[in-house]
Amino acid sequence: MFVPHDYREPDGSWMVDLIRANPLALAVANGNPEDGPFATHLPVIFDPESPGTPSSGLPGATLLGHLNRENPHWAELETGSVLLLTFTGPHSYVSPTVYEKTPAAPTWNFTSVHVRGVVERIDSAEETLGVVESTVRAFEGRFGNGWDMTESLDYFREILPGVGAFRFTVTGAEGMFKLSQEQPGEVRDRVRVSFGQSACTYKRQTAGLMSHLP
């Protein structure tokens, strides 16, 4: 991903936070000339068992993901293969009316993280179940209502043969945080205030990130 200098993350923790808050990744692999490339949306979490769970950076971190085994993409996810995971964070259109200057051009403020890494397929049923359970715990804690999965574990085991789980070791990452940094401070402030007052959740979230810029 091409990231102009102005739009690089101020701190590695920004990429970690974006992934945790926006865990539905787009996984992309070249595949073969007949069927590829492959692209699959799937939930991804940081491996809770990994001692290297990051607080300020991504290289070396371990992620966990799973997808439907009937998906042709699963057959291409061999251990040792390379995968790209992309995560999209808050984003919104910026109208030149907010700039209060002419000439001006509209643009789109957005945030994104691209993570490259190596796949390790998980073949054990119990380890696959562990990935599913860890994913539930991570998402119920952040996005859910505290649902207790205990009484559904037998059902999880019934559907487990259709679940393809994998570990993903991060080898590199780029973050794009395009938040009007190219604009003069007073113009960027007008964009941030306009977004913060909007009824649009994405705009308010984008404004929140803008407020944390150096």
Side-chain angles (χ1 to χ4, degrees):
M1 177 169 61
F2 171 62
V3 183
H5 183 269
D6 285 347
Y7 302 144
R8 296 191 179 278
E9 71 282 356
D11 184 274
S13 64
W14 281 48
M15 291 195 289
V16 174
D17 291 344
L18 185 145
I19 291 173
R20 285 198 168 112
N22 304 273
L24 185 67
L26 177 63
V28 181
N30 287 335
N32 56 66
E34 292 76 26
D35 300 323
F38 292 99
T40 300
H41 292 277
L42 50 83
V44 174
I45 62 170
F46 287 101
D47 185 353
E49 302 298 323
S50 172
T53 299
S55 58
S56 61
L58 283 170
T62 303
L63 304 176
L64 299 174
H66 67 278
L67 69 160
N68 191 324
R69 282 178 177 265
E70 292 186 4
N71 185 336
H73 197 166
W74 172 249
E76 295 293 321
L77 283 185
E78 299 178 354
T79 293
S81 62
V82 176
L83 192 65
L84 173 70
L85 298 177
T86 71
F87 302 83
T88 302
H91 59 88
S92 192
Y93 174 72
V94 183
S95 169
T97 58
V98 181
Y99 294 157
E100 298 181 10
K101 68 174 186 176
T102 300
T107 190
W108 203 285
N109 278 2
F110 69 93
T111 56
S112 180
V113 172
H114 287 196
V115 182
R116 301 180 307 280
V118 179
V119 171
E120 177 194 350
R121 284 173 60 136
I122 295 174
D123 295 320
S124 161
E126 283 306 306
E127 282 190 273
T128 299
L129 179 61
V131 170
V132 173
E133 291 183 75
S134 294
T135 302
V136 171
R137 279 191 289 268
F139 293 165
E140 274 297 319
R142 182 148 196 157
F143 308 109
N145 299 307
W147 176 66
D148 184 348
M149 72 179 101
T150 305
E151 294 184 0
S152 294
L153 292 180
D154 286 342
Y155 173 66
F156 285 3
R157 290 187 175 90
E158 287 179 19
I159 63 176
L160 211 58
V163 178
F166 63 91
R167 288 186 188 85
F168 177 91
T169 301
V170 178
T171 58
E174 294 93 24
M176 178 85 157
F177 292 84
K178 183 179 179 297
L179 300 169
S180 298
Q181 295 97 318
E182 79 285 359
Q183 296 292 340
E186 65 273 12
V187 174
R188 186 167 65 243
D189 283 344
R190 284 197 288 272
V191 175
R192 178 183 56 79
V193 171
S194 173
F195 278 11
Q197 295 173 342
S198 173
C200 173
T201 300
Y202 276 163
K203 284 191 174 183
R204 294 198 305 273
Q205 290 174 340
T206 304
L209 283 177
M210 293 178 72
S211 69
H212 288 92
L213 286 172

